[in-house]
Amino acid sequence: MSAPEPPKLFSGRLLTVLFWLFFMASLTLFFNGLILQRDNPNHALMSSESANGEVVLERNRAGHYLAPGLINGHPVNFLLDTGATHVSVPEGIAEAAGLEKGSRGMVSTANGVIAVYQTRLDKVQLGGITLQNIQASINPHMPDDVVLLGMSFMKHLDMTQREGRLTLKLPSSG
């Protein structure tokens, strides 16, 4: 009698399964990258920031300008909203960033009148633009995934919009 042959570690069937697993994982990564680029073309803004006081944002497919940034050093995702009077921070993000609730007030939104809490942001950073002491509100009615970057921040900037790009820069001091 002869000894049984040891099993082949890389049989044809195993190699086929491994190939298809690798192929599907590669497709998933590729399409996730495409979706991220489509929904937030500015997702890498912080890693490519410059300190020249100018930021160029691309509009996403929904026509919005989204960008990562920092509030008091805490990473957030901003949605630029020229219709918002103040920066509007969801309550969950406010807690994570250590913001203190100030006086309660009522504001009109697209969804009606709601109660918010006034606060001040020590430091707001969007790419190479950093501003301090920005008026904001904490909104307990907002989902916790995006901060509305309203006019209390943007009124300090020069804004130019052309061909799906929004350029924000600090005004010249001259």
Side-chain angles (χ1 to χ4, degrees):
M1 271 170 87
S2 62
E5 193 173 309
K8 293 182 182 178
L9 184 58
F10 292 108
S11 69
R13 184 171 288 170
L14 179 61
L15 284 175
T16 302
V17 168
L18 288 174
F19 166 79
W20 284 108
L21 286 174
F22 177 76
F23 181 72
M24 295 304 286
S26 298
L27 282 177
T28 300
L29 289 173
F30 174 76
F31 284 110
N32 281 343
L34 282 179
I35 291 168
L36 178 61
Q37 184 64 27
R38 178 195 70 193
D39 293 343
N40 186 358
N42 308 302
H43 67 276
L45 179 66
M46 294 304 285
S47 63
S48 65
E49 77 179 66
S50 63
N52 67 354
E54 181 175 302
V55 172
V56 178
L57 301 175
E58 289 185 45
R59 189 171 52 209
N60 70 7
R61 79 176 195 149
H64 301 290
Y65 294 100
L66 296 168
L70 300 171
I71 292 178
N72 297 350
H74 180 78
V76 298
N77 286 311
F78 290 120
L79 170 63
L80 280 69
D81 186 355
T82 57
T85 304
H86 300 114
V87 175
S88 187
V89 183
E91 190 170 40
I93 292 175
E95 290 172 0
L99 301 180
E100 292 185 26
K101 286 183 179 179
S103 62
R104 184 176 184 260
M106 303 302 284
V107 297
S108 293
T109 70
N111 294 322
V113 178
I114 60 167
V116 298
Y117 300 91
Q118 301 305 309
T119 192
R120 286 245 173 225
L121 308 176
D122 295 330
K123 186 175 168 183
V124 178
Q125 182 177 349
L126 176 66
I129 297 172
T130 301
L131 297 176
Q132 297 177 343
N133 194 27
I134 300 297
Q135 191 173 3
S137 59
I138 297 171
N139 185 337
H141 309 284
M142 284 176 65
D144 287 340
D145 59 344
V146 70
V147 173
L148 295 181
L149 194 60
M151 292 306 293
S152 61
F153 178 85
M154 292 191 291
K155 70 182 180 185
H156 300 286
L157 306 175
D158 288 336
M159 296 181 274
T160 306
Q161 181 175 302
R162 282 196 186 93
E163 299 174 5
R165 290 179 187 252
L166 177 65
T167 303
L168 304 169
K169 60 183 172 179
L170 294 169
S172 304
S173 57

